Amino acid sequence: MTDTPAPATEITQDSGNPPVPPGTLLLELVPVPVTDIERAKAFYRDKIGFRLDVDVNPKPGVRVVQLTPPGSACSITLAEGLPTLDMPPGTLRGLHLVVADIEAARAELVERGVEVSKVEDLGGVFYAYFADPDGNTWCLQHMPWR
């Protein structure tokens, strides 16, 4: 079963987010290059636990899907038909998801069917690595002082 994208007119104008203060540079969206938007959307939503925010077709041949990790102010976008976001699938490397308990976060992903490396201690900062179905790589990161 696939979800049908909504037309762009269905994007809510009031997201509840605060206004952008003058002088700030907020990183809020990272494009993730994929071959199959439905497969990637299912992976990020169902296996990783990202929230689906937007799935729209703003015009023929264009689709934009936006998902947000739990608790994050930065989202990812999966898109097709937008030349400015055209990148080879699987070329994004090393996006970090910062977690409070890396063993628990890793165990949850493994339980959901994600292949995640063993936790590595790299000088007091801990990492565990995984990839999406296209080979874009991610890591869980735990900094004990945070």
Side-chain angles (χ1 to χ4, degrees):
M1 180 179 145
T2 60
D3 300 322
T4 304
T9 55
E10 292 187 21
I11 297 175
T12 58
Q13 297 302 310
D14 179 18
S15 65
N17 291 331
V20 179
T24 61
L25 299 171
L26 305 178
L27 178 62
E28 292 191 353
L29 193 64
V30 175
V32 177
V34 299
T35 55
D36 181 330
I37 287 182
E38 281 303 316
R39 178 181 72 174
K41 181 174 89 170
F43 175 81
Y44 286 106
R45 181 187 59 202
D46 303 336
K47 293 207 178 237
I48 308 300
F50 286 18
R51 179 186 70 241
L52 177 64
D53 300 315
V54 173
D55 187 347
V56 296
N57 292 109
K59 67 181 190 175
V62 175
R63 183 170 178 197
V64 177
V65 174
Q66 182 173 318
L67 301 112
T68 305
S72 182
C74 187
S75 303
I76 64 167
T77 190
L78 314 170
E80 61 188 10
L82 295 172
T84 58
L85 299 183
D86 190 24
M87 297 179 279
T91 58
L92 192 63
R93 295 285 177 258
L95 286 177
H96 286 53
L97 296 170
V98 176
V99 298
D101 182 336
I102 196 163
E103 292 293 350
R106 180 187 179 280
E108 182 177 337
L109 292 181
V110 168
E111 186 176 302
R112 291 176 174 218
V114 179
E115 285 188 36
V116 184
S117 73
K118 297 287 185 191
V119 174
E120 294 181 29
D121 179 351
L122 297 178
V125 180
F126 300 87
Y127 296 89
Y129 305 94
F130 66 94
D132 73 8
D134 285 288
N136 296 298
T137 64
W138 292 79
C139 68
L140 301 175
Q141 180 190 48
H142 172 64
M143 295 169 278
W145 60 89
R146 285 188 73 187

